[in-house]
Amino acid sequence: MGTAPTAGLRFMTHNGNLNMKAKFEARVPPFYYVPQASDCLVLKEQWIRAKYERQEFLADEKAVSLQGDREVFLWKRGRDNAQFLRRRFVLLAREGLLKYYTKEEGKTPKAVINIKDLNATFQTEKIGHPHGLQITYRKDGRTRNLFVYHDSGKEIVDWFNALRAARLQYLKLAFPDLPESELVPLITRNYLKQGFMEKTGPKQKEPFKKRWFALDALERRLLYYKNTLDAFEQGQVLLGSNEQGYEVCEDLPKGVRGNRWKAGLTVITPERKFVFTCPSEKEQREWLESLRDVLSSPLSPLYLLNASAESGLR
């Protein structure tokens, strides 16, 4: 007798939640980023406000107009210093370009970024601002990082989704035979794992040096930096698949010892072994799991396209 009301309550609550979801998420654009539990506060807050406060996704409402050309002023961290300065960013969606200018009315952009090379990911803790966004793109074979924020949570999330809309437009042209459901995960991506490790050189006799690492699972790159907010990486490890002879092993090669940290791992590629140490066994386990996830996953169409393009450039 006592369990029936509880079961009935669960049923009504569940179906009530489904009905609410169907009502307030009836017209979420495919490019719109739906936050996960691990995402930062500004994404979650603006998702809730967009659904319930602004009611942007109701069936009888006009669709969210984040597609097309867009202009915004963002605070951008200087490449060679820690100062954030106001910069004008212009998105030309139809041309597939993002430009930014150092002068408000400047005619010549400081950088012209092709949407096909762009990624955007919220990095609030790393940037030190609750609305901190990291924009990355490939430049001359390296990854260029732009660290920006806007004082308004709505503006930075709208800007992020506008970039995603432009990216989806590019992906549909690049992969006309793939369904939209397979393109959406390729629009933007968060790093699978970030953190400090120490690394040694190719001979494994060089001193271990502390570096900040970021694992890009989609592009299959393990990037490393001297500092967390560097504009360019110091180096990278390109990650193929297990079938191509790539693997990651727990611990260090025989005769190799870390500097301060002892929990080691070794990434084996067809060309060489990359040896790292982690600050704790917990970090070691997380890195091993993340790297094994990448090496065991199939090569994505976007990875193959980018690899072919970079090979052609070389």
Side-chain angles (χ1 to χ4, degrees):
M1 290 290 291
T3 60
T6 304
L9 181 60
R10 283 201 300 267
F11 176 82
M12 289 187 290
T13 302
H14 175 68
N15 283 275
N17 289 340
L18 289 178
N19 291 335
M20 289 281 284
K21 181 179 175 70
K23 176 182 176 181
F24 287 101
E25 298 182 24
R27 296 183 62 184
V28 180
F31 61 80
Y32 200 99
Y33 185 82
V34 179
Q36 308 300 307
S38 58
D39 282 314
C40 62
L41 182 60
V42 70
L43 276 171
K44 297 174 184 176
E45 179 187 359
Q46 290 305 314
W47 167 245
I48 292 169
R49 289 185 181 277
K51 276 203 301 182
Y52 302 121
E53 187 177 285
R54 300 192 293 270
Q55 299 187 355
E56 294 179 0
F57 312 126
L58 295 182
D60 56 352
E61 291 293 317
K62 186 179 178 182
V64 180
S65 73
L66 296 175
Q67 301 180 75
D69 296 350
R70 194 176 184 90
E71 183 173 322
V72 70
F73 284 92
L74 299 173
W75 294 97
K76 175 190 169 293
R77 188 178 191 273
R79 172 179 166 177
D80 300 317
N81 58 54
Q83 187 177 9
F84 281 85
L85 298 172
R86 196 167 182 260
R87 297 291 184 248
R88 181 165 65 101
F89 284 76
V90 178
L91 173 62
L92 302 173
R94 287 183 293 275
E95 298 176 38
L97 298 175
L98 172 65
K99 302 179 180 182
Y100 85 85
Y101 300 78
T102 55
K103 297 180 180 179
E104 291 194 9
E105 302 300 327
K107 301 298 182 184
T108 304
K110 177 68 174 177
V112 179
I113 304 163
N114 198 311
I115 289 296
K116 75 178 182 63
D117 301 320
L118 179 143
N119 184 43
T121 171
F122 277 91
Q123 298 291 320
T124 58
E125 290 187 17
K126 189 165 70 174
I127 294 173
H129 191 280
H131 305 158
L133 183 70
Q134 180 176 343
I135 298 172
T136 66
Y137 61 98
R138 299 293 294 167
K139 180 179 180 181
D140 302 327
R142 301 182 71 190
T143 300
R144 173 72 166 102
N145 301 309
L146 305 178
F147 301 101
V148 301
Y149 70 85
H150 195 287
D151 292 324
S152 163
K154 180 181 184 302
E155 286 296 323
I156 196 67
V157 173
D158 282 354
W159 175 250
F160 173 62
N161 281 305
L163 293 176
R164 284 177 56 85
R167 278 279 299 170
L168 181 56
Q169 182 177 307
Y170 154 71
L171 290 169
K172 286 182 174 181
L173 293 173
F175 306 102
D177 297 329
L178 289 183
E180 191 175 79
S181 60
E182 291 186 29
L183 297 178
V184 168
L186 307 178
I187 299 178
T188 58
R189 67 269 184 193
N190 299 323
Y191 290 115
L192 183 59
K193 169 74 178 165
Q194 294 184 93
F196 283 109
M197 292 192 288
E198 290 188 339
K199 68 176 291 294
T200 185
K203 295 180 181 178
Q204 301 169 17
K205 296 180 180 179
E206 298 86 346
F208 278 79
K209 295 181 179 179
K210 183 180 178 181
R211 296 292 182 259
W212 174 263
F213 287 81
L215 178 56
D216 185 334
L218 187 62
E219 289 208 344
R220 308 180 83 96
R221 301 178 195 272
L222 179 62
L223 305 157
Y224 56 90
Y225 303 85
K226 187 174 182 180
N227 301 297
T228 56
L229 297 178
D230 285 349
F232 290 97
E233 80 274 19
Q234 278 202 331
Q236 59 180 310
V237 181
L238 298 178
L239 302 169
S241 65
N242 293 137
E243 289 75 12
Q244 296 171 314
Y246 291 79
E247 60 179 300
V248 58
C249 302
E250 186 176 347
D251 223 334
L252 304 174
K254 188 175 181 180
V256 177
R257 295 187 64 185
N259 182 17
R260 291 176 298 172
W261 301 335
K262 307 306 178 186
L265 60 91
T266 304
V267 176
I268 301 170
T269 77
E271 290 78 30
R272 58 168 280 197
K273 294 180 178 179
F274 294 86
V275 179
F276 311 103
T277 57
C278 306
S280 68
E281 291 185 357
K282 177 178 179 293
E283 281 288 300
Q284 179 197 41
R285 288 194 301 273
E286 290 178 1
W287 276 112
L288 285 167
E289 181 180 342
S290 298
L291 288 163
R292 284 168 178 161
D293 281 349
V294 174
L295 297 182
S296 63
S297 65
L299 307 180
S300 73
L302 187 59
Y303 168 82
L304 294 171
L305 180 66
N306 292 340
S308 175
E310 288 202 7
S311 178
L313 286 174
R314 286 195 293 271

